DNA sequence: AATATTTGCGCAATCGGTTGCGTGATATTT
DNA sequence: AAATATCACGCAACCGATTGCGCAAATATT
């Protein structure tokens, strides 16, 4: 039962050459339908399975796409992955997923391992830490399609998929301003990452535009780990200028801020209005419901998958554009309006 | 720059045979240290990278582990995957992840694709739909390690990792009873899956043991999709016997029940007490905080990874046990106690 | 009917490592 | 010093599928 059967076995059974068997199985035009049918039927009977190792070796491609993400276990990231997987699966690609755990070293290692394992293309969302991009030159040098999503990198010739984070940051901040906030704190992730710097730029622009001061002490860079929430809230309480709005670059952190602020006696949104980012499911669970920016992760995954596959196929179309910007949307809920 | 260099190139450069190069790179004992050093250094200089396709072909293994999960995008599943990835990565294995989207057909297809792609082992958490397990015989026949986690399957010789769902269901139900509930509804997922049937058994046992009637109309099988919450709450309201406790097999659904029940004017926990399952982050966000059963996903992932790898290594130890049961824990929060 | 074209298939090289077996050189034993 | 054991490495046969080239038979052309 556990016998592995090869094209040579099939060839022998059918008294034809292995070449013909191979071509038949791949539906090569130079083979007659009659022969193909015979081969196919015997292949089915015998339970033949093509040996991917051999096929990969001679074709020099693996029908496998690699992915490096910071962390698997966030609802946003797993939603993106879910989209990527769907497309990959549809097109017969396997997906090798690895996580950098926000570490540059691990990202490097993963990039190397994936390269060695012979992936046809690589999708990356950068780690917090990453400052140096040399580990990707292996790919660019050998023309292996490389695409960044969400946390981008400005390598030349690398397509990217993201939302317009600057505009989103602007929208979020403007929303707070429109609701009457005068002194808005922004808590952001690592400013090494475009997603956060861009949102910060948007935040600043909204303040400028509304003639509000940009106070350095109101911009807080953090790893957004929720155990930092208490510290952050203490900081808010101690602030010289009374804080009346918070723009958090991440729903999970925002939700925990709400919890902590409520515990400290703040009324949301009366005393402080809060807006998050991502439209994570928790944003609708917290009371008051969290206003946020919708970040369509699934769609991003789908597009990333489609994009990389059309690059692989060499087809030129919208999907193979160099920069795809997905629309975001402000979702106003209770945490910013009475 | 994009030139691929092989062991033959190295052999030529060093005036030795490819065999020696190969053995040197693999640290074979029959090669002198001097030669190894030379080979290693030239390999480094030239940027040699072993071609995995060729290596796989001749070694007949791929250092790759396949995973099939129902859905990637749940916090529980992505946490498990995160654990698996960590171990796989540590041991130099790649992880190919695919999702069945709760469909038996897709699960079959994925099993086949993964098999063909030459994975060394397979980890599976079954789809809702799956009733037939023939698609796994390919693996068992060829002695490819196959492990089930969370949503198990009773195939012979397949190690499993899970919690004691019966006991967990019992604990959850008993907790409600202890808090005074007399008429407890249980909403469960597909009863094709052990996780749900076992919890249901636990629920029944707790009722029996406390001399409470087991009412068929109180056991509701559902796909636990949150758009069914309204329907469910309507059912609760319309119930002949006043429902004073709900045991939901899934935190996300439980949380949405709380929201909907509150909207309908129920007081939680005064009118109805609710307990969920999984200890999903949302359980601490909802107000009142949701009591639940802790289900250590990350640990499960770690153990699944370790277990499958020790099976691959042929080592016999605790990790390669045939059935691993992880401890669960009742977490009593506000939704069940005043 | 002779020639040209097309069709269908086989030969053999190739992809790049791995590994059992054998051999000459060096080291150890008696 | 002769005999035996050990060491370090090379030869060549795989692993299984792909594919350029070539050839013979079948079909079409004149």
């Amino acid at each position: 039962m556990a016998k592995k059967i090869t094209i040579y076995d099939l060839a022998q059974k059918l008294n034809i050459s292995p070449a013909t068997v191979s071509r038949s199985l791949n539906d090569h035009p130079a083979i007659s339908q009659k022969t193909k049918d015979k081969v196919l039927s015997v292949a089915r009977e015998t339970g033949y399975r093509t040996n991917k190792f051999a096929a990969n070796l001679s074709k020099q491609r693996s029908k496998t796409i690699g992915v490096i993400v910071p962390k698997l276990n966030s609802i946003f990231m797993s939603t993106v992955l879910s989209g990527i997987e769907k497309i990959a699966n549809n097109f017969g690609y396997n997906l090798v997923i690895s996580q950098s755990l926000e570490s540059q070293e691990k990202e490097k290692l993963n990039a190397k391992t994936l390269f060695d394992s012979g992936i046809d293309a690589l999708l990356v969302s950068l780690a917090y830490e990453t400052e140096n991009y040399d580990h990707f030159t292996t790919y660019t040098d050998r023309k292996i399609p490389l695409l960044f999503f969400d946390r981008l990198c400005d390598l030349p010739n690398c397509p990217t998929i993201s939302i317009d984070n600057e505009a989103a940051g602007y929208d979020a901040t403007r929303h707070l301003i429109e609701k009457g906030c005068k002194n808005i704190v922004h808590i952001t992730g690592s400013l090494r990452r475009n997603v956060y710097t861009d949102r910060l730029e948007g935040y600043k622009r909204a303040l400028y535009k509304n003639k509000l001061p940009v106070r350095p002490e109101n911009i807080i860079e953090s790893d957004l780990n929720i155990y930092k929430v208490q510290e952050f809230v203490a900081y808010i309480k101690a602030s010289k200028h009374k804080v009346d709005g918070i723009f958090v670059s991440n729903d999970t952190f925002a939700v925990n801020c709400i919890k902590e602020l409520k515990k400290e006696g703040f009324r949301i949104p009366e005393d402080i209005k809060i807006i998050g980012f991502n439209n994570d499911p928790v944003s609708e669970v917290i009371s008051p419901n969290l206003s946020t920016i919708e970040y369509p992760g699934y769609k991003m995954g789908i597009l990333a998958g489609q994009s990389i596959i059309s690059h692989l196929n060499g087809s030129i179309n919208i999907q193979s554009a160099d920069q795809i910007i997905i629309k975001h949307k402000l979702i106003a809920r209770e945490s910013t309006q009475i």
Side-chain angles (χ1 to χ4, degrees), chain A:
Chain A
M1 201 59 175
K3 280 260 285 300
K4 53 208 155 184
I5 138 154
T6 74
I7 53 168
Y8 296 93
D9 300 327
L10 296 184
Q12 208 168 7
K13 271 199 176 49
L14 289 158
N15 274 322
I16 56 177
S17 82
T20 303
V21 175
S22 171
R23 286 194 251 257
S24 296
L25 294 170
N26 290 308
D27 204 23
H28 189 103
I31 304 294
S32 73
Q33 195 55 49
K34 218 193 297 180
T35 310
K36 283 181 189 170
D37 289 344
K38 272 193 229 160
V39 172
L40 264 301
S41 92
V42 176
R44 237 184 293 279
E45 283 170 26
T46 55
Y48 167 82
R49 299 233 160 162
T50 122
N51 182 319
K52 281 286 163 67
F53 299 150
N56 290 343
L57 175 57
S58 80
K59 291 205 287 206
Q60 298 294 345
R61 54 180 198 57
S62 57
K63 277 270 195 177
T64 295
I65 295 172
V67 186
I68 304 179
V69 297
K71 290 185 136 206
L72 263 162
N73 52 331
S74 85
I75 201 68
F76 171 68
M77 203 44 91
S78 60
T79 304
V80 177
L81 287 172
S82 167
I84 298 176
E85 196 275 344
K86 184 170 168 63
I87 297 299
N89 203 303
N90 275 356
F91 284 88
Y93 280 84
N94 275 331
L95 211 58
V96 181
I97 299 176
S98 66
Q99 41 184 358
S100 62
L101 300 174
E102 307 289 9
S103 138
Q104 172 167 270
E105 272 322 298
K106 208 146 187 299
E107 187 176 285
K108 275 190 179 175
L109 221 71
N110 288 342
K112 184 170 163 13
T113 308
L114 287 176
F115 180 86
D116 286 341
S117 77
I119 55 174
D120 293 344
L122 180 64
L123 304 174
V124 181
S125 186
L126 290 170
Y128 257 2
E129 281 187 4
T130 303
E131 294 191 291
N132 175 297
Y133 308 129
D134 292 349
H135 44 305
F136 296 120
T137 56
T138 330
Y139 292 86
T140 50
D141 283 354
R142 316 215 181 176
K143 314 269 185 243
I144 296 176
L146 174 59
L147 178 151
F148 292 89
F149 62 94
D150 188 41
R151 307 240 199 108
L152 315 178
C153 151
D154 53 5
L155 244 40
N157 295 324
C158 283
T160 60
I161 300 192
S162 66
I163 60 168
D164 184 340
N165 283 288
E166 201 275 342
Y170 178 82
D171 291 348
T173 312
R174 191 193 47 189
H175 176 69
L176 289 174
I177 296 172
E178 281 172 357
K179 295 298 176 183
C181 298
K182 300 287 182 204
N183 190 37
I184 301 172
V185 164
H186 176 41
I187 179 159
T188 170
S190 166
L191 290 177
R192 274 195 284 270
R193 294 283 72 82
N194 67 300
V195 288
Y196 299 116
T197 48
D198 290 355
R199 290 171 201 173
L200 174 58
E201 286 312 311
Y203 161 82
K204 287 182 185 169
R205 182 161 63 91
L207 294 185
Y208 284 135
K209 198 146 187 186
N210 291 279
K211 313 233 158 61
L212 290 171
V214 174
R215 302 203 169 90
E217 70 270 23
N218 274 356
I219 299 171
I220 301 173
E221 185 176 353
S222 158
D223 60 7
L224 298 178
N225 229 312
I226 57 168
Y227 64 79
K228 299 255 174 78
V229 164
Q230 292 202 358
E231 189 180 314
F232 173 67
V233 167
Y235 182 82
I236 296 290
K237 284 181 70 172
S239 172
K240 264 171 285 186
H241 302 83
K242 183 170 161 288
V243 173
D244 55 7
I246 308 179
F247 166 30
V248 185
S249 238
N250 166 314
D251 277 349
T252 311
F253 197 86
V255 159
N256 283 80
C257 285
I258 292 183
K259 282 179 67 175
E260 186 66 19
L261 285 167
K262 279 166 66 180
K263 211 179 286 176
E264 294 289 327
F266 289 89
R267 291 169 307 156
I268 317 283
E270 292 82 355
D271 299 332
I272 298 190
K273 306 192 197 320
I274 300 192
I275 187 164
F277 211 102
N278 274 14
N279 195 22
D280 200 285
V282 288
S283 59
E284 288 192 272
V285 172
I286 189 72
S287 168
N289 280 189
L290 179 66
S291 296
T292 189
I293 302 287
E294 186 186 45
Y295 196 156
Y298 189 70
K299 188 171 177 188
M300 172 170 281
I302 296 283
L303 285 172
Q306 290 176 340
S307 175
I308 206 73
I309 285 175
S310 42
H311 272 272
L312 283 171
N313 294 342
S315 55
I316 304 214
N317 52 35
I318 300 173
Q319 310 297 11
S320 61
D322 284 337
Q323 190 185 11
I324 297 179
I325 306 277
I326 302 179
K327 276 210 198 79
H328 63 276
K329 202 171 80 188
L330 176 81
I331 300 183
R333 298 207 183 95
E334 303 160 358
S335 69
T336 53
Q337 48 199 354
I338 300 169

